Amino acid sequence: MENFKTYIHSLTEFSDESWKLLQPALSEQVFKKNEFLLKEGTVCNALFYIEKGYCRSFYEMEGEEKNIAFFFENEIATNIESFGSGEKSAYNIVACEPLCVFSLDKKMLYRASQQAPEIETLGRKCIRRFATKQESFSNLLKIYSAKNRLHYLETNYPEMLQRVPLYQLASFLGVARETLSRIRKKNQAV
Amino acid sequence: MENFKTYIHSLTEFSDESWKLLQPALSEQVFKKNEFLLKEGTVCNALFYIEKGYCRSFYEMEGEEKNIAFFFENEIATNIESFGSGEKSAYNIVACEPLCVFSLDKKMLYRASQQAPEIETLGRKCIRRFATKQESFSNLLKIYSAKNRLHYLETNYPEMLQRVPLYQLASFLGVARETLSRIRKKNQAV
DNA sequence: ACAGGCGCGTGATAATTGTCACAAAATTAA
DNA sequence: TTAATTTTGTGACAATTATCACGCGCCTGT
């Protein structure tokens, strides 16, 4: 819980009063490896602050899983589109390790927002930070070659390379598993 | 101005009172073709609601322009990262046609937000919509092949294909200009 | 201990894409 | 209208990547 408090304070001013008002929206949840936080076709009603472990979001297309994001400790995982619009999610979010999160329920969060402007601000900043991360990954794919994408991750998100299996990283980077394996080999040589 | 009002109402409840309070943050701006809304290395201090025309954001890398997004009428253009954090933008935004926007100044917007919760909510929803669009485009690159990316744009964003020159679309889709030209040719045959 | 599955590496070959060069078409400016 | 510039198309070839097939090492559960 302390981590989460620190996370909030890193985003915005937050009084003890606001913290109290936020409590009804907040609940601790535990997921086993491969358990779903969000299933395709259901509505995303929560922001998941990740306390321990990590998870990934992925589409299922023609029997294949296409990974679109990985979320680690001290990050928010959610489907921003579904959460915002109330429409069904087009993809899944699943725990990759035993996962401990603090879940912020949408309805309760909105209620709390109306009681304290700081909570509304918190919500906005959570979303902004989420969006910023999305954007930078989006650009990664546009401006770099497969080789350079891996290099970018190595320097900016080394944790990701250590924790995410290669075959899952591959679809995230938009290349075949074998290709990524070969790129990695070449890079080691240098 | 009416379009902008409609846009706001499509996002959130918004009283005449809030609209009045928003005015100081709001200014109409006109850009010529190829004029910059945001230059690499400067801070993004505004949200640009596009009234007429369109613009694009792009990185400049090794003398080449890498397009990362296109923004059309009734959309918000901005650098969400720079706007949020106050840090320098890593990329440019430039008008692709004569452009008319309503600019929302950051400082004034924050001031207005403190006076009316509806404005804070508006800001949050603007950012959310922006993030949603970013995310869907980000996923586009991960889950589709170059061929299918074009097809996706054809069905979901036909306007983009009509208005954006092919050589600019190419870097946005992450392929060479010549490749896109050939893909397009093949698709016509079918 | 051992069977089965998972994650990774690698060879061979096909398919796709990038690069360079040049020309045609379309648009804009003079 | 003409000239200049921009945008697009295309051929040839190189480079990169995907796909298929297979084997190896390492967990994990029984």
Side-chain angles (χ1 to χ4, degrees), chain A residues 47-63:
Chain A
L47 304 177
F48 301 100
Y49 168 83
I50 302 175
E51 172 77 11
K52 188 82 196 81
Y54 80 98
C55 58
R56 71 190 165 97
S57 55
F58 67 95
Y59 283 88
E60 202 150 349
M61 302 191 68
E62 295 146 29

Side-chain angles (χ1 to χ4, degrees), chain B:
Chain B
M1 196 66 109
E2 278 314 303
N3 288 340
F4 184 46
K5 236 176 169 174
T6 306
Y7 175 82
I8 289 176
H9 284 295
S10 79
L11 277 179
T12 190
E13 295 266 313
F14 212 71
S15 66
D16 288 346
E17 167 94 25
S18 292
W19 177 252
K20 237 179 230 165
L21 286 168
L22 185 64
Q23 292 312 306
L26 198 61
S27 67
E28 189 168 8
Q29 280 185 285
V30 173
F31 296 90
K32 292 176 198 161
K33 186 175 174 179
N34 296 325
E35 228 181 323
F36 284 82
L37 284 75
L38 175 67
K39 271 206 179 181
E40 182 186 336
T42 68
V43 177
C44 183
N45 286 317
L47 304 177
F48 301 99
Y49 169 82
I50 301 175
E51 172 78 11
K52 189 80 195 83
Y54 80 98
C55 57
R56 72 190 163 98
S57 54
F58 67 94
Y59 283 88
E60 201 150 349
M61 301 189 68
E62 296 148 28
E64 283 200 355
E65 293 184 354
K66 306 269 191 174
N67 294 309
I68 52 178
F70 299 95
F71 304 99
F72 297 93
E73 283 88 359
N74 299 311
E75 291 184 333
I76 298 284
T78 191
N79 177 339
I80 195 79
E81 178 164 16
S82 176
F83 182 84
S85 70
E87 286 172 28
K88 291 175 184 172
S89 173
Y91 58 79
N92 307 281
I93 304 181
V94 70
C96 298
E97 294 178 353
L99 190 70
C100 177
V101 306
F102 291 112
S103 171
L104 283 163
D105 177 75
K106 181 177 170 174
K107 203 182 272 180
M108 303 294 249
L109 183 60
Y110 278 17
R111 206 167 292 165
S113 292
Q114 288 169 346
Q115 296 175 283
E118 278 183 358
I119 297 181
E120 169 104 42
T121 301
L122 175 68
R124 179 166 57 71
K125 293 197 175 175
C126 275
I127 289 170
R128 179 171 61 66
R129 184 176 284 196
F130 185 88
T132 298
K133 195 191 163 202
Q134 284 301 131
E135 190 185 17
S136 71
F137 276 119
S138 169
N139 295 345
L140 168 67
L141 288 168
K142 278 172 207 151
I143 64 183
Y144 293 124
S145 67
K147 199 179 306 181
N148 290 337
R149 281 174 216 163
L150 186 66
H151 186 251
Y152 180 88
L153 290 189
E154 274 168 356
T155 56
N156 296 55
Y157 300 88
E159 176 181 45
M160 202 142 135
L161 295 187
Q162 287 159 16
R163 293 175 79 179
V164 177
L166 181 142
Y167 78 100
Q168 284 184 6
L169 256 188
S171 80
F172 176 71
L173 291 176
V175 296
R177 179 184 66 80
E178 296 90 335
T179 304
L180 191 56
S181 173
R182 284 171 185 131
I183 289 172
R184 175 191 271 183
K185 192 187 168 191
K186 266 193 210 165
N187 283 7
Q188 283 174 349
V190 181

